[in-house]
């Protein structure tokens, strides 16, 4: 569990029915007040990330998914949903939630202790 | 041949910085064109933009984007979609084109100045795309309205407005001249790209795009969201420039530039976007109020950004800016509607009983402040006293934002300490201001602004002849058929309340 949490620190929330998130689809859900995007890349695993873009907080659900490439509709920032890392710009990252399938339902887990679940990204200087 | 990853070639192809040996730095980057604030060249070379693009990718993307929007435009031209649009919405679109299309060309001047006088190769590269972007935006936003001229003759003002002395055009020119036509490259990066494009253009271009799609104006929605994808790329010039200024001890100078341009941008967008969102967009299609858009996209985003960059909120944030969110654009709307012959669009009063309910819900206290004036205007319309709803005199105009001074409305709403205008006397001339921040901008750099004449200054100086309302309208380039009229033929004044079925105020 790479988010610095153990199972006991997580709150699991039922986020969607599996039939609502087909391969190639993305879906925005509200997770106790935070926007979360669930992605299901073709032939890949279902994942969940912060629902707003690290650039200017536009909803990533308005964007599109092509293979593992997620493109924000606001200003075309690109992310690799297999890792959550930015392709362009590089160096940025989406906060990733844990997901669990139980029967036909998808659950998303988030850390119990408060902390930022929406990463932001701004310019850095070369050599920093 | 295997394709190299972007990081393996990008910096090499983008960066061509070198130390000058035949010429002085000051000769290459004169301060008037590029104020480097004494920061050494090697520091500027650390400039790096987050979102990267090659020229080949740029051309490919722009070609696709143009194909998409021109196809939509061609389809709209053949359909009846535009004919069925709400008259209030048309007002919003006609106002947009006049205020924005030609300034996009002007922005190409600012971008090309940064493409030559930006102090790092990476920056000049990004500004070159910016120059091409703004040229494209000027072209499509004059071409699209042109192709709808048969359906809406007022689209002529997409090209005409900025070539006239109409008061709104003077306000737009004054803002954009200050921001990028007559500005050095470094200050332009902070004022145009960081302050104006990163925040405010989202409001008009993404916010209005959302409303356009709801209203059914697919052409306008597709056009402005296509523009915004360019905007964010070249808006990136602001962040690295700000980082370099802050890292080199120039935070106070940067803060001054941002505080100055944030305020000026706010006033012009309150006029343009505020009226469009809260009065011109049909009630059933409004997604958020202007204040809600401002809170979500400007207040929150700027606060996050200021924190990210270690900047302070502008000094006027709590006492002036946040307070104006509640009343300023309502007062400006009242003035624009009353002086409607002086604008190139047909202002929609937007105060039918249902719309007033919405305004009161979104802006508690609306009925008790500006609503009272609308009560009187409504009575005059219903009594057939149309002459009483039209201007016979001129308003006072702010010597900074060039928008009529509406502080009495702020006073009535309990948000401003005094209804009187603020003034400064300098070299025997009196300058009037609508607000403390407008006066502060003037006093921070009086030599830059003291020569400018507002539309009313021109009247008093004898430049406008004859010095009457008719003379002023002619000076502003408005023939009788071009002057604005109420968008709905006063339908709002006799509409009944949807919920109660009662006739209100008849």
């Amino acid at each position: 569990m790479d988010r610095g949490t153990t199972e006991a620190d997580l709150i699991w929330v039922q986020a969607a029915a599996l039939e609502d998130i087909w391969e190639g689809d993305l879906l925005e859900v509200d997770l106790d007040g935070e926007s979360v995007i669930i992605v299901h890349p073709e032939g890949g695993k279902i994942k969940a990330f912060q629902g707003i873009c690290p650039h200017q907080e536009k909803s990533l659900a308005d964007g599109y998914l092509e293979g593992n490439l997620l493109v924000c509709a606001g200003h075309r920032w690109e992310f690799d949903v297999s890792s959550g890392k930015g392709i362009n710009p590089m160096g940025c990252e989406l906060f990733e939630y844990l997901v669990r399938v139980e029967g036909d339902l998808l659950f998303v887990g988030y850390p119990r202790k408060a902390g930022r679940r929406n990463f932001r990204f701004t310019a850095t200087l070369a050599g920093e | 041949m295997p394709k190299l990853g972007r990081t393996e070639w990008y910096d090499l192809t983008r960066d061509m910085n070198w130390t000058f040996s035949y010429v002085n730095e000051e000769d290459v980057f004169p301060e008037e064109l590029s104020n480097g604030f004494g920061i050494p060249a090697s520091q500027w070379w650390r400039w790096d933009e987050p979102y990267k693009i090659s020229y080949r990718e740029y051309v490919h993307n722009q070609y696709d984007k143009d194909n998409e929007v021109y196809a939509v435009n061609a389809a709209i031209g053949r359909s009846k979609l535009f004919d069925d649009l709400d008259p209030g919405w048309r007002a919003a679109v006609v106002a947009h084109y006049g205020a924005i299309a030609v300034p996009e060309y002007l922005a190409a001047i600012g971008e090309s100045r940064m493409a030559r006088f930006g102090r790092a190769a990476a920056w000049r590269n990004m500004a070159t795309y910016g120059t091409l972007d703004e040229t494209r935006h000027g072209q499509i936003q004059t071409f699209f309205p042109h192709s709808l001229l048969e359906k809406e003759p007022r689209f002529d003002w997409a090209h005409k407005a900025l070539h006239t002395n109409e008061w709104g055009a003077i306000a737009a020119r004054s803002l954009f001249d200050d921001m990028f036509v007559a500005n050095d490259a470094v200050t332009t990066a902070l004022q145009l790209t960081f302050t104006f494009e990163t925040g405010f253009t989202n409001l008009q271009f993404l916010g209005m795009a959302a409303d356009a799609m709801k209203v059914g104006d697919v052409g306008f929605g597709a056009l402005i969201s296509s523009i915004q994808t360019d905007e964010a790329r070249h808006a990136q010039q602001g962040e690295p420039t700000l980082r370099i200024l802050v890292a080199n001890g120039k935070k106070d100078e940067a803060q001054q530039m941002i505080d100055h341009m944030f305020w000026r941008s706010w006033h012009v967008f309150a006029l343009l976007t505020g009226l469009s969102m809260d009065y011109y967009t049909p009630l059933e299609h409004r997604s958020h109020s202007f204040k809600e858009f401002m809170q979500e996209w400007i207040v929150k985003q700027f606060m996050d950004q200021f924190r990210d960059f270690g900047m302070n909120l502008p000094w006027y944030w709590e006492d002036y800016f946040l307070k104006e969110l509640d009343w300023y654009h309502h007062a400006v709307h009242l003035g624009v509607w009353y002086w409607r012959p002086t604008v190139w669009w047909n202002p929609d009063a937007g105060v039918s009983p249902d719309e007033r309910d919405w305004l009161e819900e979104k802006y508690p206290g609306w009925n008790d402040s500006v609503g009272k004036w609308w009560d009187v205007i409504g009575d005059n319309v219903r009594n057939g006293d149309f002459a009483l709803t039209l201007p016979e005199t001129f308003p006072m105009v702010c010597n900074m934002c060039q928008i009529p001074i509406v502080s009495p409305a702020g006073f009535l709403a309990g948000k401003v300490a005094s209804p009187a205008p603020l003034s400064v006397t300098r070299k025997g001339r009196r300058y009037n201001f609508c607000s403390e921040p407008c006066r502060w901008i003037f006093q921070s750099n009086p030599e830059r602004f003291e020569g400018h004449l507002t539309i009313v200054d021109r009247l008093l100086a004898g430049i406008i002849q004859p010095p009457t309302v008719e003379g002023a309208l002619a000076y502003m380039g408005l023939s009788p058929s071009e002057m604005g009229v109420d968008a709905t033929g006063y339908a709002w004044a006799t509409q009944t309340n949807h919920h109660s079925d009662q006739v209100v105020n008849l």
Side-chain angles (χ1 to χ4, degrees), chain B residues 283 351-359 496-500:
Chain B
L283 183 59
V351 289
S352 66
D354 284 345
E355 289 168 314
R356 290 181 65 142
D357 287 349
W358 182 88
L359 286 160
T496 56
N497 193 301
H498 217 102
H499 309 298
S500 65

Side-chain angles (χ1 to χ4, degrees), chain B residues 125-141:
Chain B
N125 183 54
M126 196 50 48
T128 304
Y129 300 139
T131 307
L132 296 170
D133 288 339
E134 301 297 11
T135 307
R136 166 180 183 252
H137 302 168
Q139 287 171 343
I140 54 180
Q141 287 176 101

Side-chain angles (χ1 to χ4, degrees), chain A residues 49-125:
Chain A
F49 297 101
Q50 70 182 66
I52 57 173
C53 185
H55 177 216
Q56 290 190 353
E57 307 189 349
K58 301 284 169 294
S59 170
L60 288 167
D62 293 337
Y64 62 87
L65 185 67
E66 225 175 66
N68 278 324
L69 176 71
L70 172 67
V71 182
C72 178
H75 307 110
R76 299 198 177 188
W77 278 33
E78 298 170 355
F79 304 91
D80 178 354
V81 295
S82 70
S83 63
K85 292 199 183 312
I87 298 169
N88 196 1
M90 288 175 75
C92 68
E93 190 182 3
L94 300 175
F95 180 90
E96 183 170 354
Y97 289 85
L98 293 171
V99 294
R100 184 164 84 193
V101 174
E102 280 179 28
D104 297 335
L105 298 174
L106 181 79
F107 289 80
V108 173
Y110 67 88
R112 191 177 297 276
K113 63 173 190 271
R116 285 197 94 178
R117 285 185 270 138
N118 290 312
F119 295 151
R120 284 172 52 78
F121 188 72
T122 58
T124 51
L125 301 182

Side-chain angles (χ1 to χ4, degrees), chain B residues 176-192:
Chain B
F176 296 135
D177 284 358
D178 189 22
M179 191 188 304
F180 49 76
V181 180
N183 207 358
D184 78 276
V186 174
T187 312
T188 301
L190 259 62
Q191 295 194 322
L192 167 64

Side-chain angles (χ1 to χ4, degrees), chain B residues 405-420:
Chain B
I405 295 173
V406 292
S407 41
F411 179 72
L412 192 69
K415 306 282 182 179
V416 177
S418 161

